[in-house]
Amino acid sequence: MIPLRPLSLGEILGATFTTLGRYWKPLLGVLLAAYGLAGAVILAMAGVAYLAFPESRDFPESAVVALVVLAVPAALAVLAATAMVQAACPVIVQQAVLGRATTFREIWWRAATRLRSVAGIVVVEGLIALIPTALFLLGFVVLLMSLVAPEDGPNVALSLTVSFVGTLLSVPLGIWLWVRFSLASAAAVIEFRAPVDALRRSTELVSGAWWRICGISALGFLIAGAASTMIEQAGSLLSPFAGMYDDWSSSGSDVGDAPSVVLGVLAVAITLIALLAARAIATVVPEITLNLLYVDQRLRRENLGPLLAEAAGAAPAAG
């Protein structure tokens, strides 16, 4: 399904959607299970926080502390779900390269065994994005404060300058670091590497091909974003029908009640399915593209084609 030789841009993008089309069922199962469990943890923590809030509200500080403490498990659940999905994509790409079928259970088990390593990489990627985001938010907060207290003009001007200059400088640095570490999840799962070792391995594979990997991965993100937006818009076209039940029932028509309920339920269901599909594409497509870039870099640098062909039980590809 995927040529066992260095891949062109068209082959990488084509293989991304071919892989998604072939393995969408187990991949969707992993995505639903991971984020479903994370959602259950978040709901449980929200319930505990609600019960922990003192009814008399004499001690609001304790409620704040409870919310902060309970937010930690919720954040860890989201981190684990993100890492699970990010770890599942290399498993699927590896099976696609070898031309093998796979199941939800196999993907889940293999991704779970590498969960801690991939979670560490996700944390590093989050920290890379946190610095420019924090600087931008700092500038925004300072700007709001300047509107409230204009007498602090000189200090505000200096803070705004530092904030926005820092943002402008940190964004290119963040992109540079992200591209260097973009193949780390694949290395952690496929090569069974620890987080630091996987980051080092990604840097080694990206070296000399930074612009190519940056451009192809950015194109993957753009295509995924455009596709997910189109699916969301298609689903939103049905949202007006979801309110037809209220309109028809308020008119007092007994005949129209049953059809309007069915139509409203179908519209809501299709809209939710469209949103889920859009989010799945926006999440999974860029990850599959990055994992194919990992395979491509190893094919280019390490002559991996004959070894993969032998593992797949096929003759080495020409070229």
Side-chain angles (χ1 to χ4, degrees):
M1 186 175 68
I2 298 175
L4 301 182
R5 52 175 171 73
L7 304 174
S8 65
L9 170 62
E11 288 173 332
I12 290 176
L13 296 178
T16 296
F17 288 96
T18 302
T19 302
L20 183 62
R22 182 174 180 180
Y23 298 96
W24 71 270
K25 290 182 180 179
L27 186 55
L28 180 60
V30 171
L31 191 145
L32 289 176
Y35 284 107
L37 290 173
V41 171
I42 292 173
L43 288 176
M45 292 301 101
V48 173
Y50 176 79
L51 295 176
F53 194 93
E55 294 183 1
S56 62
R57 306 197 178 190
D58 294 333
F59 304 100
E61 295 84 1
S62 62
V64 174
V65 173
L67 288 173
V68 172
V69 172
L70 294 173
V72 174
L76 291 176
V78 174
L79 171 63
T82 303
M84 179 63 75
V85 174
Q86 198 160 313
C89 290
V91 178
I92 289 176
V93 168
Q94 188 177 26
Q95 297 299 88
V97 170
L98 297 177
R100 297 174 180 171
T102 188
T103 62
F104 165 81
R105 179 180 298 180
E106 180 182 1
I107 296 173
W108 183 270
W109 181 82
R110 287 193 57 190
T113 60
R114 306 306 304 157
L115 183 61
R116 287 191 297 177
S117 293
V118 177
I121 294 169
V122 172
V123 170
V124 172
E125 292 174 344
L127 291 176
I128 291 174
L130 179 63
I131 295 175
T133 303
L135 288 172
F136 178 80
L137 291 177
L138 175 63
F140 183 73
V141 170
V142 170
L143 181 61
L144 290 179
M145 292 176 59
S146 69
L147 298 176
V148 176
E151 64 274 6
D152 297 331
N155 293 331
V156 168
L158 178 60
S159 300
L160 284 175
T161 301
V162 172
S163 172
F164 287 110
V165 170
T167 302
L168 291 175
L169 293 177
S170 61
V171 166
L173 176 62
I175 295 174
W176 179 74
L177 287 174
W178 183 86
V179 174
R180 285 178 65 88
F181 298 153
S182 61
L183 308 184
S185 294
V189 175
I190 295 175
E191 301 181 32
F192 300 95
R193 293 178 180 263
V196 175
D197 196 19
L199 293 170
R200 189 180 298 115
R201 173 64 164 159
S202 176
T203 300
E204 174 188 336
L205 291 173
V206 172
S207 178
W210 189 95
W211 284 107
R212 181 173 184 271
I213 293 174
C214 178
I216 295 177
S217 59
L219 188 59
F221 276 101
L222 288 174
I223 293 174
S228 63
T229 300
M230 291 175 62
I231 294 174
E232 286 182 357
Q233 293 298 324
S236 65
L237 292 177
L238 296 173
S239 59
F241 295 101
M244 292 185 68
Y245 171 72
D246 294 332
D247 296 336
W248 289 4
S249 60
S250 62
S251 66
S253 175
D254 295 333
V255 178
D257 286 344
S260 66
V261 170
V262 174
L263 186 60
V265 170
L266 286 176
V268 171
I270 294 175
T271 301
L272 291 177
I273 292 173
L275 290 174
L276 175 62
R279 292 301 91 199
I281 288 176
T283 302
V284 170
V285 168
E287 286 298 322
I288 294 178
T289 302
L290 288 173
N291 284 279
L292 287 169
L293 282 168
Y294 163 84
V295 174
D296 175 63
Q297 286 301 108
R298 292 196 63 185
L299 288 169
R300 291 175 182 272
R301 297 182 175 217
E302 301 172 0
N303 193 27
L304 196 62
L307 182 61
L308 290 175
E310 182 180 355

